[in-house]
mmCIF file of all heavy atoms in Angstrom:
data_model
loop_
_atom_site.group_PDB
_atom_site.id
_atom_site.type_symbol
_atom_site.label_atom_id
_atom_site.label_comp_id
_atom_site.label_asym_id
_atom_site.label_seq_id
_atom_site.Cartn_x
_atom_site.Cartn_y
_atom_site.Cartn_z
ATOM 1 N N ASP J 143 0.524 -13.899 -3.000
ATOM 2 C CA ASP J 143 0.269 -15.377 -2.810
ATOM 3 C C ASP J 143 0.678 -15.781 -1.467
ATOM 4 O O ASP J 143 1.220 -16.856 -1.236
ATOM 5 C CB ASP J 143 0.962 -16.161 -3.932
ATOM 6 C CG ASP J 143 0.408 -15.843 -5.289
ATOM 7 O OD1 ASP J 143 -0.778 -15.628 -5.414
ATOM 8 O OD2 ASP J 143 1.230 -15.849 -6.255
ATOM 9 N N GLY J 144 0.501 -14.957 -0.458
ATOM 10 C CA GLY J 144 0.798 -15.277 0.920
ATOM 11 C C GLY J 144 2.232 -15.088 1.385
ATOM 12 O O GLY J 144 2.553 -15.304 2.528
ATOM 13 N N ALA J 145 3.145 -14.756 0.425
ATOM 14 C CA ALA J 145 4.566 -14.722 0.797
ATOM 15 C C ALA J 145 5.128 -13.277 0.597
ATOM 16 O O ALA J 145 4.711 -12.637 -0.412
ATOM 17 C CB ALA J 145 5.374 -15.645 -0.037
ATOM 18 N N GLU J 146 6.042 -12.872 1.431
ATOM 19 C CA GLU J 146 6.644 -11.591 1.303
ATOM 20 C C GLU J 146 7.466 -11.500 0.002
ATOM 21 O O GLU J 146 8.223 -12.442 -0.272
ATOM 22 C CB GLU J 146 7.573 -11.315 2.461
ATOM 23 C CG GLU J 146 8.366 -10.042 2.342
ATOM 24 C CD GLU J 146 9.255 -9.669 3.547
ATOM 25 O OE1 GLU J 146 9.021 -10.260 4.651
ATOM 26 O OE2 GLU J 146 10.189 -8.862 3.385
ATOM 27 N N ILE J 147 7.292 -10.386 -0.726
ATOM 28 C CA ILE J 147 8.084 -10.223 -1.958
ATOM 29 C C ILE J 147 8.946 -8.960 -1.861
ATOM 30 O O ILE J 147 9.858 -8.767 -2.653
ATOM 31 C CB ILE J 147 7.228 -10.236 -3.208
ATOM 32 C CG1 ILE J 147 6.107 -9.176 -3.142
ATOM 33 C CG2 ILE J 147 6.651 -11.591 -3.463
ATOM 34 C CD1 ILE J 147 5.336 -9.005 -4.472
ATOM 35 N N ALA J 148 8.586 -8.074 -0.936
ATOM 36 C CA ALA J 148 9.372 -6.826 -0.735
ATOM 37 C C ALA J 148 9.004 -6.137 0.521
ATOM 38 O O ALA J 148 7.941 -6.458 1.066
ATOM 39 C CB ALA J 148 9.231 -5.939 -1.945
ATOM 40 N N ARG J 149 9.874 -5.237 0.985
ATOM 41 C CA ARG J 149 9.455 -4.455 2.178
ATOM 42 C C ARG J 149 10.059 -3.096 2.193
ATOM 43 O O ARG J 149 11.139 -2.905 1.610
ATOM 44 C CB ARG J 149 9.742 -5.200 3.491
ATOM 45 C CG ARG J 149 11.169 -5.260 3.917
ATOM 46 C CD ARG J 149 11.378 -5.843 5.300
ATOM 47 N NE ARG J 149 10.792 -7.105 5.593
ATOM 48 C CZ ARG J 149 10.650 -7.765 6.780
ATOM 49 N NH1 ARG J 149 11.184 -7.100 7.843
ATOM 50 N NH2 ARG J 149 10.138 -8.894 6.883
ATOM 51 N N LEU J 150 9.455 -2.180 2.821
ATOM 52 C CA LEU J 150 9.889 -0.806 3.028
ATOM 53 C C LEU J 150 9.887 -0.602 4.510
ATOM 54 O O LEU J 150 8.894 -0.640 5.206
ATOM 55 C CB LEU J 150 8.986 0.128 2.341
ATOM 56 C CG LEU J 150 9.132 1.656 2.662
ATOM 57 C CD1 LEU J 150 10.556 2.097 2.153
ATOM 58 C CD2 LEU J 150 8.081 2.459 1.913
ATOM 59 N N GLU J 151 11.099 -0.332 5.055
ATOM 60 C CA GLU J 151 11.255 -0.100 6.499
ATOM 61 C C GLU J 151 11.241 1.336 6.787
ATOM 62 O O GLU J 151 12.095 2.107 6.199
ATOM 63 C CB GLU J 151 12.461 -0.781 7.053
ATOM 64 C CG GLU J 151 12.399 -2.338 6.964
ATOM 65 C CD GLU J 151 13.612 -3.051 7.461
ATOM 66 O OE1 GLU J 151 14.775 -2.583 7.183
ATOM 67 O OE2 GLU J 151 13.460 -4.131 8.012
ATOM 68 N N GLY J 152 10.397 1.829 7.684
ATOM 69 C CA GLY J 152 10.318 3.218 8.038
ATOM 70 C C GLY J 152 9.336 3.986 7.152
ATOM 71 O O GLY J 152 8.759 3.485 6.214
ATOM 72 N N TYR J 153 9.133 5.239 7.600
ATOM 73 C CA TYR J 153 8.235 6.151 6.794
ATOM 74 C C TYR J 153 9.022 7.447 6.572
ATOM 75 O O TYR J 153 9.231 8.260 7.474
ATOM 76 C CB TYR J 153 6.965 6.413 7.583
ATOM 77 C CG TYR J 153 6.079 7.426 6.947
ATOM 78 C CD1 TYR J 153 5.624 7.291 5.675
ATOM 79 C CD2 TYR J 153 5.720 8.602 7.602
ATOM 80 C CE1 TYR J 153 4.800 8.207 5.078
ATOM 81 C CE2 TYR J 153 4.944 9.634 7.045
ATOM 82 C CZ TYR J 153 4.436 9.351 5.761
ATOM 83 O OH TYR J 153 3.684 10.281 5.148
ATOM 84 N N PRO J 154 9.426 7.620 5.286
ATOM 85 C CA PRO J 154 10.284 8.749 4.997
ATOM 86 C C PRO J 154 9.522 10.060 4.637
ATOM 87 O O PRO J 154 10.076 11.009 4.226
ATOM 88 C CB PRO J 154 11.007 8.268 3.702
ATOM 89 C CG PRO J 154 9.961 7.326 3.104
ATOM 90 C CD PRO J 154 9.283 6.674 4.147
ATOM 91 N N GLY J 155 8.172 10.109 4.949
ATOM 92 C CA GLY J 155 7.381 11.234 4.651
ATOM 93 C C GLY J 155 6.493 10.943 3.465
ATOM 94 O O GLY J 155 6.821 10.068 2.604
ATOM 95 N N GLU J 156 5.439 11.614 3.351
ATOM 96 C CA GLU J 156 4.451 11.344 2.265
ATOM 97 C C GLU J 156 5.036 11.400 0.838
ATOM 98 O O GLU J 156 4.786 10.524 0.053
ATOM 99 C CB GLU J 156 3.233 12.338 2.352
ATOM 100 C CG GLU J 156 2.154 12.034 1.411
ATOM 101 C CD GLU J 156 0.986 12.926 1.527
ATOM 102 O OE1 GLU J 156 0.989 13.926 2.285
ATOM 103 O OE2 GLU J 156 -0.103 12.625 0.898
ATOM 104 N N ASP J 157 5.746 12.411 0.564
ATOM 105 C CA ASP J 157 6.319 12.589 -0.841
ATOM 106 C C ASP J 157 7.154 11.446 -1.147
ATOM 107 O O ASP J 157 7.081 10.957 -2.273
ATOM 108 C CB ASP J 157 7.074 13.933 -0.908
ATOM 109 C CG ASP J 157 6.137 15.140 -0.797
ATOM 110 O OD1 ASP J 157 4.956 15.025 -1.068
ATOM 111 O OD2 ASP J 157 6.627 16.197 -0.397
ATOM 112 N N PHE J 158 8.109 11.023 -0.313
ATOM 113 C CA PHE J 158 8.962 9.910 -0.641
ATOM 114 C C PHE J 158 8.233 8.519 -0.601
ATOM 115 O O PHE J 158 8.561 7.607 -1.373
ATOM 116 C CB PHE J 158 10.156 9.870 0.288
ATOM 117 C CG PHE J 158 11.133 10.967 0.012
ATOM 118 C CD1 PHE J 158 11.203 12.042 0.945
ATOM 119 C CD2 PHE J 158 11.947 10.938 -1.012
ATOM 120 C CE1 PHE J 158 12.118 13.040 0.716
ATOM 121 C CE2 PHE J 158 12.941 11.940 -1.260
ATOM 122 C CZ PHE J 158 12.951 12.990 -0.447
ATOM 123 N N PHE J 159 7.245 8.436 0.264
ATOM 124 C CA PHE J 159 6.544 7.189 0.406
ATOM 125 C C PHE J 159 5.916 6.714 -0.884
ATOM 126 O O PHE J 159 6.075 5.556 -1.334
ATOM 127 C CB PHE J 159 5.412 7.259 1.499
ATOM 128 C CG PHE J 159 4.591 6.009 1.573
ATOM 129 C CD1 PHE J 159 5.056 4.898 2.195
ATOM 130 C CD2 PHE J 159 3.314 6.022 0.955
ATOM 131 C CE1 PHE J 159 4.247 3.707 2.265
ATOM 132 C CE2 PHE J 159 2.584 4.865 0.999
ATOM 133 C CZ PHE J 159 3.035 3.691 1.674
ATOM 134 N N TRP J 160 5.186 7.650 -1.560
ATOM 135 C CA TRP J 160 4.501 7.284 -2.777
ATOM 136 C C TRP J 160 5.491 6.818 -3.897
ATOM 137 O O TRP J 160 5.282 5.826 -4.558
ATOM 138 C CB TRP J 160 3.636 8.431 -3.314
ATOM 139 C CG TRP J 160 2.472 8.726 -2.438
ATOM 140 C CD1 TRP J 160 2.204 9.834 -1.685
ATOM 141 C CD2 TRP J 160 1.357 7.821 -2.297
ATOM 142 N NE1 TRP J 160 1.081 9.658 -0.996
ATOM 143 C CE2 TRP J 160 0.422 8.510 -1.376
ATOM 144 C CE3 TRP J 160 0.993 6.564 -2.756
ATOM 145 C CZ2 TRP J 160 -0.726 7.934 -0.962
ATOM 146 C CZ3 TRP J 160 -0.268 5.980 -2.377
ATOM 147 C CH2 TRP J 160 -1.086 6.640 -1.469
ATOM 148 N N GLY J 161 6.624 7.477 -4.012
ATOM 149 C CA GLY J 161 7.613 7.049 -4.978
ATOM 150 C C GLY J 161 8.187 5.710 -4.665
ATOM 151 O O GLY J 161 8.391 4.849 -5.549
ATOM 152 N N LEU J 162 8.531 5.495 -3.432
ATOM 153 C CA LEU J 162 9.110 4.212 -2.967
ATOM 154 C C LEU J 162 8.094 3.102 -3.119
ATOM 155 O O LEU J 162 8.479 1.966 -3.577
ATOM 156 C CB LEU J 162 9.611 4.268 -1.583
ATOM 157 C CG LEU J 162 10.856 5.164 -1.360
ATOM 158 C CD1 LEU J 162 11.111 5.438 0.098
ATOM 159 C CD2 LEU J 162 12.106 4.645 -2.081
ATOM 160 N N LEU J 163 6.873 3.333 -2.737
ATOM 161 C CA LEU J 163 5.848 2.299 -2.897
ATOM 162 C C LEU J 163 5.611 1.929 -4.385
ATOM 163 O O LEU J 163 5.571 0.786 -4.790
ATOM 164 C CB LEU J 163 4.538 2.757 -2.286
ATOM 165 C CG LEU J 163 3.312 1.808 -2.451
ATOM 166 C CD1 LEU J 163 3.564 0.448 -1.775
ATOM 167 C CD2 LEU J 163 2.035 2.432 -1.892
ATOM 168 N N GLY J 164 5.496 2.961 -5.219
ATOM 169 C CA GLY J 164 5.372 2.715 -6.671
ATOM 170 C C GLY J 164 6.501 1.910 -7.218
ATOM 171 O O GLY J 164 6.290 0.985 -7.969
#
Side-chain angles (χ1 to χ4, degrees):
D143 297 325
E146 176 178 341
I147 56 173
R149 73 170 57 189
L150 170 61
E151 294 177 323
Y153 174 59
E156 183 177 10
D157 293 335
F158 288 106
F159 174 79
W160 289 113
L162 292 169
L163 176 62

